[in-house]
Amino acid sequence: MSATKRVNIFSLSLVRGIVFQILGTLVGIGVVTLIRLLMGLPAWKAEPAGVFGAFLGVLFFLVGAGTIRDWYKMALGEPVSDHHAADPEQPGWAKYFNISYDHKVIGIQYGVTSVVVMLLAGSFALIFRAELARAGLQLIELDMFNTLVGLHGIVMIASILLGVGAMSNYLVPLLIGASDMAFPRLNAFAYWVNVPGALLVVSSLFLGGFDTGWTGYPPLSARAPLGMQMFFLGVYFIGLSSILGSLNLIVTVIRMRAPGMSYFRMPIFVWAAVATSIIGLTATQLIGLSFQMVMFQRLFGMGFFDPAKGGNVILFQHLFWFYSHPAVYVFILPGLGIISELLPVFVRKPLFGYKWIAMSSLGIALVGFFVWAHHMFTAGMEEYLRVPFMYSTLLVAVPTGVKFFSWVGTMWRGRMSFETPMLFTLGAVSIFLLGGLTGPPNATVATDLHLQDSYWIVGHFHATMFGGFVFPWFAAIYYWFPKFTGKMYNEKLGKLHFWLMFPAFYLMSLGQMRVGLLGMRRRIADYDPALGFDNTQTLVTIAGYVIAFSVLLFLFNLVRSIRSGEVAVANPWNSRSPEFQLPSPIPEHNYAEHPFVVVGEPYDYGLADAEYVRFGAASEPAAAD
Amino acid sequence: MTTNVTSEVRASYAYKTATNRLGLWLFLLSDSFVFGGLLVSRFYLLGNTRPHLDQTLGLIVTAMLLVSSFFMNRAETAIAHGDEKTFLRGTLITLVLGVAFLLGVVGVEWRLAPFGPADDVVGAVFYMMTGMHAFHVLTGVIFLGIVYRNGRKGLYSAEKHWQVEAAAVYWHFVDVVWIFFYPALYLIGTVAG
Ligand SMILES: [Cu+2]
């Protein structure tokens, strides 16, 4: 890269999108105000103007960034190009700020956005965790505390969804031997719609915030400040991204596999990604619907959740949790897939029970559709629903147990080595076990009546998220880093990252569970010092800061390695997977110059002469749109 | 199923169309969850009662939508046989019936209904369901407009008419949704009030 290449920042899609979003917001506010004026109403009303402005802002962003240009041409019957090439006039980094149809670029866009958003959500937590370190109020106001708690939750969820998008977009086409996703334009659109959506969610901080937590239950959400509407609208668009991304992924897996790659010869992560996508494609619609209904209640007075008009607040919870429970499987299934994918490589043994793992991912996804009401045992819902939902929830332990059984079977008498990705994989298994074992008490009605809304739940949930997403996510980044960048990360710093984060996480999660059992409520800024857990709270806060520090270390490691790391070899882990047979970094058109056929089983590690992929015999799969 | 496909086949119009078709059907599956959620909400909130609506008008708009699906099917079959004239006429009739349906529901029924969206939960459910459906009809009408324009320019042939197929399938889907919504709003239960 020569330093002489310069970029006009207004040529970047990201910048143009944001400028258009601001413009669209102003136009929307103006239109509503004008209409009200013409109707003889008081011209200025913040809520309708703000909501319509925000909505129009997102649409303007998408147009301004150029996400729909090709579709517009297609609708008019004009030809569009199927092939992507980075603009040679611009420096290499510019393609990440522009619309790209290359799934690898989009995967990196997802990944970097996910990390940026994670830092934001993490810093929200650091602020309110500092407040919770001692009893009494020292740092922030109550409203601010509530908003930060809610934002930490929802922004982390956005970060995880983006991380899941990063893994499935970058990895799945490579793992199945495709040149790209089935619908590259839809892929780009699904990424870019997140950006204005996330901006809206964060803007709620400056529009009065919202005090409902990330679940947005009415009736409170029906009268919270304007920030609530921005939260609903932002999440709505992020959900749209999930739906479209899931659709694209399922079609890609069904239509774009390399010759010889039958369903049971796909790398196991692909199964996890498909199971995730089934949830994302369908259930997401219901959180969208429930949020839309609250928005309309606020805007038009439609009384869905207003008992005075015959509405029912419990309906919101049914619709909301029909998505939001399966959503946790969207968060963890890809991570569990990463564990199954990485373990055999570092144990040098076949994956134990491939078909069982593949089916257990689908099993978790499907059972997940029938468990949502376990969040509502104390909500005043119909009482006869409690026991059936208790049993269906406990049933989830069966396919999850299958996974643990297989992981132990894979590790059994293997020749383990402990590079950073493996450390994070093992950490994930251990932490997810903690998360899994602390689940049944919440699923069981009798115990849940006591545990509901306590800090115990916070501890349990963080264990499932760290075990099911955070640790596998870091494992995946370290593992595939050479394929992304062509450089190796620094192993020492990577290990330090793990050895800081792993014990700190246990301290945090077990501390949260302890204060919960002793009577700490979740989402409350203060507690009675007489409860006697001040010191545990302080430890939890310290642990949180150690985790944050370890993440900074991780970032430092990656940035330094990209700039001046060792040049990576093609296959540093001796993996059998097809993408590791390509040079590092991956060539722009994947396997175009290196076609392969699948001739054996994917995970026959340690077996003599067992071949998985054979190069030089197949043809290049093309994209359709 | 696709494990031994050559790159020439993958680059072909037929293969891409089959891929697009799968995408469209998955989209409809996803969309049907919105309408499913609305139906569940309707029965959860209103139970065995229904809004007070004009039965004659309901019957007329329903008939128009069902008949429009017939003409859309004719249009699609015609272009698949290379009969451009029948295709264009069928598309235009579908489009006109679609607009008439929209006018009937949003223009007339919304005015005739003895309740507004903010009055009580019956109104909320009625306007939400018909509104969401009307929004889909509107997008379908726009889609048909594009297809009609491109059809007049001669962009479709017996072999290549994916846009027509997509518009037709989407239109039938919107029609099928109404087949569930119509009884849920007009027929089932006793009139609330
Ligand atoms: Cu749950």
Side-chain angles (χ1 to χ4, degrees), chain B residues 28-61:
Chain B
L28 297 183
L29 172 72
S30 174
D31 215 11
S32 63
F33 273 71
V34 178
F35 294 111
L38 283 171
L39 278 174
V40 168
S41 304
R42 177 251 177 266
F43 286 104
Y44 195 93
L45 292 171
L46 306 189
N48 203 26
T49 59
R50 62 181 157 87
H52 182 74
L53 297 166
D54 188 329
Q55 290 292 336
T56 323
L57 184 61
L59 209 57
I60 293 172
V61 294

Side-chain angles (χ1 to χ4, degrees), chain A residues 75 82 255 257 259 281 620, chain B residues 3 7 10 15-16 30 121 150:
Chain A
D82 260 1
R255 301 289 293 172
R257 281 167 294 128
L281 177 71
E620 172 214 2
Chain B
T3 47
S7 64
R10 280 186 204 259
Y15 193 87
K16 285 183 182 176
S30 174
V121 73
N150 290 349

Side-chain angles (χ1 to χ4, degrees), chain A residues 97 146 160 246 339 366 430 463 475 484 509 620:
Chain A
F97 295 89
N146 289 344
I160 294 177
S246 303
I339 298 176
L366 295 183
S430 133
F484 304 149
S509 184
E620 172 214 2

Side-chain angles (χ1 to χ4, degrees), chain A residues 227-246:
Chain A
M228 194 79 232
Q229 292 277 36
M230 299 303 134
F231 162 88
F232 283 140
L233 201 58
V235 175
Y236 192 87
F237 283 107
I238 292 170
L240 182 64
S241 160
S242 254
I243 294 169
L244 300 176
S246 303

Side-chain angles (χ1 to χ4, degrees), chain A residues 47 210-212 216-226 228-229 232 291 293-299 301-307 313 316:
Chain A
E47 181 122 349
F210 59 98
D211 35 17
T212 59
Y217 279 6
L220 187 54
S221 63
R223 48 171 189 256
L226 183 58
M228 194 79 232
Q229 292 277 36
F232 283 140
F291 281 11
M293 284 160 84
V294 186
M295 290 180 72
F296 286 175
Q297 174 163 341
R298 293 175 59 123
L299 285 173
M302 297 167 90
F304 303 107
F305 311 119
D306 181 356
V313 290
F316 176 87

Side-chain angles (χ1 to χ4, degrees), chain A residues 15-37:
Chain A
V15 178
R16 268 184 294 135
I18 291 174
V19 170
F20 268 70
Q21 186 173 12
I22 295 168
L23 209 70
T25 309
L26 296 176
V27 170
I29 291 173
V31 166
V32 171
T33 310
L34 196 68
I35 291 176
R36 289 181 65 87
L37 205 66

Side-chain angles (χ1 to χ4, degrees), chain A residues 427-447:
Chain A
V429 173
S430 133
I431 291 172
F432 195 66
L433 186 65
L434 174 70
L437 292 179
T438 50
N442 317 324
T444 310
V445 178
T447 34

Side-chain angles (χ1 to χ4, degrees), chain A residues 310-587:
Chain A
N312 189 334
V313 290
I314 301 289
L315 174 65
F316 176 87
Q317 299 186 23
H318 280 303
L319 296 174
F320 176 82
W321 288 112
F322 186 82
Y323 167 74
S324 297
H325 182 83
V328 301
Y329 300 146
V330 171
F331 306 158
I332 62 163
L333 283 174
L336 305 188
I338 294 287
I339 298 176
S340 303
E341 186 73 48
L342 265 54
L343 268 184
V345 180
F346 291 94
V347 177
R348 312 309 299 171
K349 265 185 64 198
L351 179 66
F352 187 83
Y354 174 99
K355 283 192 184 176
W356 285 90
I357 299 223
M359 287 301 125
S360 72
S361 290
L362 285 186
I364 292 175
L366 295 183
V367 178
F369 277 96
F370 303 100
V371 304
W372 75 89
H374 63 221
H375 294 272
M376 302 162 61
F377 288 151
T378 63
M381 106 185 139
E382 302 75 358
E383 243 169 64
Y384 62 85
L385 289 178
R386 282 178 169 180
V387 171
F389 275 101
M390 170 175 106
Y391 280 113
S392 62
T393 303
L394 291 171
L395 197 62
V396 178
V398 177
T400 318
V402 167
K403 286 199 188 288
F404 274 100
F405 193 75
S406 147
W407 293 334
V408 173
T410 305
M411 285 187 274
W412 190 257
R413 309 184 78 176
R415 283 185 291 121
M416 279 195 228
S417 59
F418 298 96
E419 291 89 347
T420 309
M422 178 61 162
L423 288 179
F424 275 94
T425 305
L426 293 174
V429 173
S430 133
I431 291 172
F432 195 66
L433 186 65
L434 174 70
L437 292 179
T438 50
N442 317 324
T444 310
V445 178
T447 34
D448 184 60
L449 296 182
H450 300 275
L451 297 171
Q452 168 82 30
D453 264 348
S454 72
Y455 237 82
W456 161 272
I457 302 287
V458 177
H460 158 73
F461 186 71
H462 280 80
T464 59
M465 287 300 107
F466 272 74
F469 178 80
V470 177
F471 274 69
W473 166 238
F474 287 130
I477 293 177
Y478 284 119
Y479 181 74
W480 277 285
F481 186 74
K483 303 317 281 185
F484 304 149
T485 60
K487 300 285 183 63
M488 271 318 262
Y489 61 86
N490 181 311
E491 187 68 37
K492 267 193 192 137
L493 283 175
K495 284 191 166 136
L496 185 60
H497 172 201
F498 175 79
W499 286 114
L500 283 173
M501 189 179 231
F502 183 69
F505 170 77
Y506 264 98
L507 181 61
M508 180 184 88
S509 184
L510 292 173
Q512 287 168 332
M513 290 179 199
R514 181 183 140 86
V515 296
L517 291 177
L518 291 175
M520 178 71 195
R521 311 302 297 165
R522 72 194 282 203
R523 295 175 177 155
I524 302 289
D526 194 9
Y527 47 91
D528 187 347
L531 288 166
F533 49 63
D534 274 57
N535 289 334
T536 315
Q537 290 277 27
T538 311
L539 284 177
V540 172
T541 301
I542 292 171
Y545 278 84
V546 174
I547 292 174
F549 176 71
S550 77
V551 172
L552 291 181
L553 213 56
F554 154 82
L555 285 177
F556 172 71
N557 189 354
L558 294 202
V559 172
R560 205 180 71 159
S561 303
I562 290 171
R563 298 171 74 110
S564 58
E566 242 177 83
V567 175
V569 294
N571 192 354
W573 317 116
N574 229 334
S575 164
R576 293 164 56 85
S577 208
E579 79 278 16
F580 276 101
Q581 321 311 321
L582 289 176
S584 300
I586 308 259

